[in-house]
Every structure is written in structure tokens, then in C-alpha cells.
Amino acid sequence: MSSASGVQLDSRVTEFVARPRTMFINGQWVHAASGKTFDTYNPATGEVLAQVAEGDAEDINRAVAAARAAFDTGPWRTMTASERGRLIWKLGDLIEEHVAEFAELETLDNGKPLTISRAADVPLAAELFRYMAGWATKLEGSTIPLSVPYTPGAIYHAYTVREPVGVVGQIIPWNFPLLMAAWKLGPALAAGCTIVLKPAEQTPLSALRLGELIDEAGFPPGVVNVVTGFGETAGAALAAHPDVDKVAFTGSTEVGRLIVHAAAGNLKKVTLELGGKSPNVVFADSDVDRAIAGAASAIFFNHGQCCCAGSRLFVERSIFDRVVEGVSDAASKIKVGPGLDPSTDMGPLVSEEQLNRVCGFIDSGMSDGARAVVGGKRVGDKGYFVEPTVLVDTSDDMKVIQEEIFGPVVAAIPFEDPSQLVARANDSVYGLAAGIWTQDVAKAHAVAAQLRAGTVWINCYNIFDAALPFGGYKQSGWGREMGKEALENYTETKAVCARVS
Ligand code: ADP
């Protein structure tokens, strides 16, 4: 099959997309208990792409039972940490072997340019598994000297061990489908947990293909289960399930709140990676050309569908016009088109719902008095394309400044007084990320120290590494993804105290 843009697709991809869709439960490929399927859409055309099994509460029950059995009695539990690490490493290698295939799947499903899926999403996912593979053998406790006052003369040997938290429910979004699966699965597997993964209903294909590779790598049945379905049914059932020990969620802040409520029943552990409205601050003493390129990429990368997108661009007044002109110029040169077309810089938004949402935000900004220097409209009438948009003349209380748009829309905001900048940059319910552009090293670190954000990029933006923790302050989330901190989400500390004399 060739795609709408005439690109010849890998035959394994066309075969995979056309196959009647099943889910991965207990090492088997099974239909939804209800027998139902749902359609997913190619965002570049708006046409049906694939039929996917519509899992719901019953399928979640089956998957949780499989994960519980694998955790309590399966070979996974007795495997050495080194064997576990080798399986995780192998999964990374298998992803790399299939990079072209995964990139095409990701682009068909999500819409992002194939060049980006190939260069970023898939290699980063492979690398994440390799990084986490190394942690399997390094989850150590400590020995602790005790000084118990009420047992004079007694000697204790006390130590801690880090044990896997148990059965984990993982609910992921559609903006980086494979990479989000990797961020979640990698540390959970390294810690020795078993998992039920629910991909987003818009983009389930790469997680299903990953399930096949998990099987091929040799993970025992039930260690990873992939249940496809909708958030309100399958996702809600997973978050509320009484036999799930922990739920890890990435998505909207609104759904994050629902997850917290759902988790309250059995007080399962919760980690959340939620929304953002990240300030990207350009000082007059920056390398302005670099800052302009960085500011454009901070918002337009992945079509602005990044929780850390630099959507509030604060620019020191003396260079405001130059930066707005530069970012607008960059925006107008972005070639918007189908992700499979090699000349495309920016693909469609993921769904009609997102298209309407993003256009609704742009309209609200305009009716509040903002002005689009460039962009502001939908592109064409087929597929979910929207123009890269630069807004000016906003005020800090407008909806486009306060709320997450999750699209290629940046508001450029001038500031006069660097001393007031930090308060304005922090004036958000979110605290996920921030950017600073300046050549003054002392200023850069002083401002970084004052920003209430989980990540601060200085003279760069959107730099991700498996070793670098990522997550939010305030309503941007609980806990951290990646880095050694991610392992903490998936382990319990057990203190063992033995009286030895
Ligand atoms: P978006 O609004 O950007 O689509 P969501 O937060 O709705 O993001 O979705 C992220 C993930 O959360 C998806 O896998 C979705 O199916 C899931 N989800 C949505 N609603 C719920 C819910 N009520 N309970 C659990 N998961 C949900």
C-alpha cells in the first residue's frame, strides 16, 4: 500500500495496520470480551486507519488478573535482576531493529512527520529501555545503625531493601505514543513490577506492535499486558481497580484529577505527568538569533502537542519586535502537510477534537483582543491541519495565556522589568518546564532558581534524555519520569530489623 502522499509504506506496516486487532493479555492476543472494536483515524486524511479491540472493565479485569499472577507466582518474580535487565535491553535492541516500521506506524497514527518519528520518538524509546535495563541491578537498599534507647545492650542488624510496588496500571496519551509507553514501562520493568498498559484511543498501534516485541524478547506471560480502549471505560476501570497497586498517568490535568479520585478506593500509589503552560524567557542579552530559532522550535515541535511546549514567550521589550518578527518568519516557513511526505515540517493535529479545541482557543484569543501576527486558521478542509500561530497583544488574564492549548500557538509577551518577570512567568497553575535565553551565566542560574518548574532549559529547549528526570511542580503532576527518580515510583522500601544479640 502506498499512503495518500504517495510514500511506499513498509509491507510489515500495512499488514499490521490491516490485521484484525486484538489485545495482548497474559502473553496471548485476544479479542475484547465484548467482541467490540473501534475505528482509529489517520489525522492526515480524516479517514479510518485501523480497527482496534475495544477493551473495557472486563478486559481490564482479565489483564489485572494476569499481571497479578505474573507478579505473585510467575518466573518474573524469581528472575535475577541481571536477567530482568537483559530482557529490557533486548527490548530496546528490538525497537531499534524495527525503527523504520515503528516510525511509519507512529506517523500514520499520530500524524507527526516521519523524519521526527525516525530521529526522535523511536530512538529515544529504544534508549530509554537501555538506560532502565542498567538500573535493574542497581536498586539497592542500605544498612542502618540503630540506637534503640529502650533495649540497652541489644544489637540489631537493620537494612532496607527496595521491592517492586506490584501490579501497575499505566495510562498514556497520544502525543508521543511509543515514547510514552517506554517512559512508563522501562522503570516499572527494571523495578520488577508487572503492568497493564492502556494506550490512548487515538494512537494504539505502536503499543500493540511493542506488545509483539515484548513477547519476542521473552518476557514471561502477564508481565506486560496491553489493553486498548477508551479512557472513560478501560482507563477508568484500570485506575479504580482494587488489585492494582499503583497507577501512573500521563495526560490532561482534568483527567489527572479523575485518576486521583479513582485511586482513592484502595489508596493505590499515584504518579501523574500532566499539563503545562511553560514560560520561555528571552533576555535582551541573549544570542538573539539562536533564541528565535529555539523559541520557534519550543512551541512548534510536535505541533505544540507537548505538555512542556514553550507557549508563553516572554521577550525583553528592547528586542520584542525583532523576536516576534523572527519567530513569525520561522512559523510562516514551516511546511504543513502529511507526516509521511518527506518535505513536511509539521503534520496534522492528532484528531478532529484537537483541531476544534485549538481553533477554539485561537478564536477566543482574537475575541479577547489578541492579534495573530501569523497563522490563526485551519489549513485546508481535509485532515486536521492548523497554521503555526504567533499571538501578540495578549494580557496575562486571557484564556490563551492561562490555559493549555496543546497546539502550535504561541503568545509573545513583552516584559520591561526583569524583576517582575519571574512573578509573571510563575503566574500559572502549572509548573512543568521553562526556558531561559541569555548569555549572562549568573543571571541564567539565578532565574532558574526562581522558576517554579520541574525542568528549566537554559539556551536550549525540549532536550530530553533517559537519565534526566522530567515532571511537574504544582498542577503539572506528581513524581518524575526518567532518570533514577523514575525508579522511586515503582519501588517500596522495606526496612528489616533483626536482633542479633
Ligand atoms: P487528551 O484530552 O489530550 O486526549 P486525556 O487526558 O483525555 O488527554 O487522555 C490521556 C489518556 O487518559 C488516554 O489514554 C485516555 O484514554 C485516558 N483517559 C481519559 N479519560 C480517562 C478516565 N476518566 N480515566 C482513566 N483514563 C482516562
Side-chain angles (χ1 to χ4, degrees), residues 170-175 198-202 229-239 249-256 258-259 262 274 350-351 353-354 357 404 406:
Q170 301 186 322
I171 301 172
I172 56 171
W174 45 258
N175 57 345
K198 196 207 80 66
E201 50 269 43
Q202 297 86 348
F230 293 100
E232 303 74 30
T233 49
L238 185 55
F249 170 76
T250 297
S252 59
T253 294
E254 182 194 353
V255 173
L258 297 177
I259 301 280
L274 307 174
V350 73
S351 64
E353 188 187 344
Q354 284 306 115
R357 191 184 133 86
E404 182 176 41
F406 224 65

Side-chain angles (χ1 to χ4, degrees), residues 178-494:
L178 178 68
L179 187 59
M180 291 301 103
W183 282 20
K184 291 278 183 277
L185 291 172
L189 290 169
C193 295
T194 59
I195 297 130
V196 177
L197 176 77
K198 196 207 80 66
E201 50 269 43
Q202 297 86 348
T203 55
L205 298 182
S206 55
L208 289 167
R209 182 70 185 104
L210 186 65
E212 294 186 339
L213 296 190
I214 285 167
D215 202 19
E216 188 180 333
F219 285 88
V223 170
V224 178
N225 307 272
V226 183
V227 175
T228 48
F230 293 100
E232 303 74 30
T233 49
L238 185 55
H241 202 290
D243 208 20
V244 169
D245 298 297
K246 181 212 153 57
V247 62
F249 170 76
T250 297
S252 59
T253 294
E254 182 194 353
V255 173
R257 280 198 190 88
L258 297 177
I259 301 280
V260 170
H261 285 289
N266 69 336
L267 288 177
K268 56 175 69 68
K269 312 283 184 276
V270 180
T271 44
L272 304 169
E273 204 259 276
L274 307 174
K277 191 75 191 174
S278 298
N280 193 15
V281 183
V282 182
F283 287 100
D285 58 8
S286 62
D287 173 337
V288 181
D289 290 335
R290 270 184 69 196
I292 287 170
S297 133
I299 184 65
F300 299 132
F301 174 65
N302 213 41
H303 326 161
Q305 299 172 132
C306 299
C307 42
C308 55
S311 51
R312 290 184 296 146
L313 177 61
F314 288 97
V315 185
E316 201 160 349
R317 172 70 76 186
S318 60
I319 55 162
F320 183 74
D321 290 346
R322 180 174 164 201
V323 171
V324 169
E325 196 187 320
V327 174
S328 302
D329 190 43
S332 61
K333 287 188 178 133
I334 289 173
K335 181 158 182 264
V336 179
L340 288 173
D341 181 336
S343 67
T344 289
D345 300 315
M346 185 186 285
L349 300 183
V350 73
S351 64
E352 191 172 0
E353 188 187 344
Q354 284 306 115
L355 175 71
N356 293 336
R357 191 184 133 86
V358 170
C359 291
F361 268 110
I362 296 173
D363 293 345
S364 113
M366 307 290 207
S367 56
D368 285 348
R371 179 169 60 87
V373 179
V374 65
K377 294 189 300 299
R378 181 180 181 178
V379 180
D381 56 5
K382 193 165 175 245
Y384 314 132
F385 300 94
V386 70
E387 291 174 338
T389 299
V390 178
L391 298 178
V392 291
D393 299 341
T394 58
S395 60
D396 290 358
D397 57 352
M398 280 183 194
K399 203 169 142 192
V400 285
I401 300 297
Q402 292 295 327
E403 294 184 26
E404 182 176 41
I405 299 177
F406 224 65
V409 182
V410 65
I413 308 162
F415 68 90
E416 325 270 347
D417 180 357
S419 66
Q420 285 173 358
L421 177 267
V422 168
R424 290 178 78 192
N426 283 336
D427 179 20
S428 169
V429 295
Y430 297 113
L432 192 57
I436 299 171
W437 300 83
T438 173
Q439 297 189 82
D440 179 338
V441 176
K443 185 201 277 179
H445 291 286
V447 174
Q450 295 174 78
L451 290 173
R452 303 258 301 142
T455 295
V456 179
W457 285 295
I458 298 174
N459 294 328
C460 59
Y461 208 94
N462 279 334
I463 300 302
F464 290 96
D465 190 284
L468 197 61
F470 180 79
Y473 284 30
K474 300 192 267 182
Q475 292 182 34
S476 288
W478 292 350
R480 294 291 177 270
E481 310 275 340
M482 301 193 290
K484 74 174 176 206
E485 295 198 31
L487 278 308
E488 277 157 31
N489 303 339
Y490 294 102
T491 53
E492 295 272 23
T493 298
K494 179 179 280 175

Side-chain angles (χ1 to χ4, degrees), residues 115-128:
T115 44
I116 301 291
S117 315
R118 260 195 102 109
D121 294 62
V122 186
L124 282 171
E127 208 41 49
L128 190 288

Side-chain angles (χ1 to χ4, degrees), residues 15-65:
E15 188 266 333
F16 183 79
V17 171
R19 209 184 298 162
R21 206 52 52 228
T22 46
M23 301 177 285
F24 188 52
I25 298 180
N26 205 21
Q28 307 286 318
W29 290 92
V30 298
H31 292 282
S34 67
K36 284 197 209 161
T37 59
F38 65 99
D39 292 336
T40 65
Y41 296 88
N42 180 341
T45 60
E47 287 159 9
V48 172
L49 174 64
Q51 259 103 35
V52 177
E54 188 183 329
D56 61 22
E58 204 174 329
D59 305 285
I60 291 291
N61 285 343
R62 282 196 291 171
V64 171

